[in-house]
Amino acid sequence: HVHLSKEHIEKLFGKDYEMLRKKDLSQPGQFQYQERVTLIGPRGVLKGVAILGPARNRTQVEVSKTDARILGINPPVRESGKLNGSGSIYISTEKAVVHAEEAVIIAKRHIHMTTEDAKGFEVSDKQLVSVRINGERPIIFEDVVIRVNDNYKLSMHIDFDEANAAGYKDGVIGEII
């Protein structure tokens, strides 16, 4: 998925374009737009890529390792927002193409939680933990970043590659170990 800056929204969709909200996401205030974009790398293309809102100060593109291979890029694994020195990519719509420099990361797996949640789990902001996923294919994810903010809702975020490795289905539970 991508998080577009206001500047890139205007370049890709037109000046004063109003993005159409499709659905809310697990984190309060976060949502998906109806519009989609295409990512263009040196060796491949990904069409129909979701755009998440609200607009950011800086465009951020989050891909899985599999997506990166298809595109022919090698972005770093990083926490959201840590874009300096990250990968670059072209983003297109039917109207325009932009070159998003230092915009591409593979998102580091993380858990959103409130201060109260953190106290209950006896963890702190930025702490690294291991999480056992008790799914069809049990797996332990190491180096999971705890992100504490009272505007968050308790939720662990992993990418499609990681979800597939664990055989993830709705309702699967993870346990901090």
Side-chain angles (χ1 to χ4, degrees), residues 42-58:
R43 288 198 310 248
V45 172
L46 290 176
K47 294 182 178 184
V49 177
I51 306 167
L52 305 185
R56 296 238 178 137
N57 290 332
R58 192 169 168 189

Side-chain angles (χ1 to χ4, degrees), residues 39-47 63-75 89 161:
L39 300 179
I40 305 167
R43 288 198 310 248
V45 172
L46 290 176
K47 294 182 178 184
V63 297
S64 68
K65 189 68 171 174
T66 299
D67 294 337
R69 285 192 179 127
I70 289 167
L71 292 164
I73 58 175
N74 189 25
I89 194 124
D161 289 346

Side-chain angles (χ1 to χ4, degrees), residues 102-175:
E102 291 189 318
V104 187
I105 62 169
I106 296 170
K108 188 172 181 95
R109 58 185 83 99
H110 57 279
I111 302 173
H112 292 275
M113 61 176 66
T114 64
T115 304
E116 188 175 317
D117 293 327
K119 286 178 187 173
F121 287 110
E122 298 179 350
V123 295
S124 59
D125 191 44
K126 304 295 183 203
Q127 182 177 344
L128 295 177
V129 298
S130 294
V131 177
R132 177 181 167 84
I133 305 298
N134 299 313
E136 181 180 300
R137 300 176 68 197
I139 190 169
I140 295 172
F141 289 119
E142 297 180 343
D143 296 327
V144 180
V145 178
I146 299 295
R147 294 177 58 188
V148 178
N149 185 306
D150 286 328
N151 293 322
Y152 289 157
K153 179 180 171 190
L154 185 61
S155 180
M156 181 171 168
H157 289 181
I158 57 177
D159 68 26
F160 280 108
D161 289 346
E162 294 164 325
N164 286 335
Y168 177 81
K169 295 178 184 172
D170 280 343
V172 165
I173 301 293
E175 173 186 4

Side-chain angles (χ1 to χ4, degrees), residues 52-109:
L52 305 185
R56 296 238 178 137
N57 290 332
R58 192 169 168 189
T59 292
Q60 177 173 300
V61 178
E62 297 179 33
V63 297
S64 68
K65 189 68 171 174
T66 299
D67 294 337
R69 285 192 179 127
I70 289 167
L71 292 164
I73 58 175
N74 189 25
V77 176
R78 297 261 178 90
E79 287 184 57
S80 180
K82 298 189 183 228
L83 299 174
N84 291 342
S86 66
S88 299
I89 194 124
Y90 289 94
I91 304 171
S92 74
T93 62
E94 292 179 3
K95 293 183 177 187
V97 177
V98 297
H99 187 220
E101 297 183 60
E102 291 189 318
V104 187
I105 62 169
I106 296 170
K108 188 172 181 95
R109 58 185 83 99

